[in-house]
Amino acid sequence: MERIKRGGSVLATILLMTATAAGEVGAQDISARTAYFRAVAEYFELPTAEVSILADWNLRPDEIPVALFVATRAGISPEALVALRSSGQSWVELTRRYQVGAAQLHVPFAQAPASGLLASVYEQYQARPASEWSEIGLTEEAIVTLINVRVLSTALGMRPDEVLERRSAAHDFVDMYARIIG
């Protein structure tokens, strides 16, 4: 019986330590997300609260700059765009619908990405005159990446190349931003 009691207290201690660690990770995630939202809000010249509200619509945090960028370019409200996104439309469909294509999403890199997600996209940019960039098809992930690189390079005062390089070492853009601002 004594062994069960000790075993139970060991189990309780392990569960408490796990819950505490999970709470710390959760707090770090919230803090990182808050800092990221603040940077996004500054880029779009919006109150941070407005950016945070978009997170309540079941968008991934790194999709919020996409919603704001496309809404701004299309001249519609971010809420309307997010509602369309929540109804199942992809960013590919929405950027096509609102004519926000590869030409508007182009980010000037010092050197075109040689590998990774954007390598083939930048091969297409280089192979065509700028007047034909609107014909370049972008994937969902490329759209999210290009807009986040644009926003975060401005927010951090870094070259887009540096942001893209640092993104490859992070879980997502929120994690990358948190690592940089420390």
Side-chain angles (χ1 to χ4, degrees):
M1 188 69 160
E2 182 64 31
R3 183 178 172 142
I4 293 173
K5 286 181 185 176
R6 276 188 296 183
S9 67
V10 169
L11 179 59
T13 302
I14 290 171
L15 290 174
L16 180 62
M17 289 171 53
T18 303
T20 302
E24 289 172 5
V25 170
Q28 289 171 344
D29 288 347
I30 290 169
S31 175
R33 214 175 20 222
T34 301
Y36 173 80
F37 289 161
R38 191 175 314 111
V40 170
E42 287 175 16
Y43 180 87
F44 289 101
E45 299 178 356
L46 295 169
T48 305
E50 283 188 38
V51 173
S52 297
I53 287 170
L54 293 175
D56 294 337
W57 287 63
N58 293 325
L59 284 178
R60 293 188 336 244
D62 62 358
E63 289 184 272
I64 291 173
V66 177
L68 293 168
F69 186 88
V70 174
T72 300
R73 299 291 168 137
I76 63 170
S77 75
E79 293 81 6
L81 191 65
V82 171
L84 290 170
R85 175 74 173 136
S86 296
S87 74
Q89 292 188 39
S90 71
W91 289 121
V92 172
E93 293 167 319
L94 292 169
T95 55
R96 190 175 302 126
R97 176 179 180 172
Y98 291 106
Q99 299 175 349
V100 179
Q104 292 86 3
L105 297 175
H106 178 266
V107 174
F109 288 101
Q111 290 190 325
S115 63
L117 169 71
L118 296 180
S120 65
V121 171
Y122 275 80
E123 285 174 11
Q124 293 179 62
Y125 279 126
Q126 291 174 332
R128 301 170 189 242
S131 61
E132 294 179 10
W133 285 354
S134 60
E135 298 172 20
I136 297 171
L138 298 173
T139 64
E140 189 103 352
E141 193 175 351
I143 292 166
V144 171
T145 299
L146 287 167
I147 292 172
N148 272 279
V149 166
R150 175 188 301 271
V151 169
L152 295 178
S153 68
T154 300
L156 293 164
M158 296 172 70
R159 291 188 340 268
D161 308 73
E162 292 177 274
V163 172
L164 187 60
E165 181 181 320
R166 293 213 184 183
R167 167 57 185 96
S168 65
H171 175 67
D172 58 18
F173 282 104
V174 174
D175 179 48
M176 182 218 73
Y177 186 77
R179 288 180 187 203
I180 291 172
I181 64 169

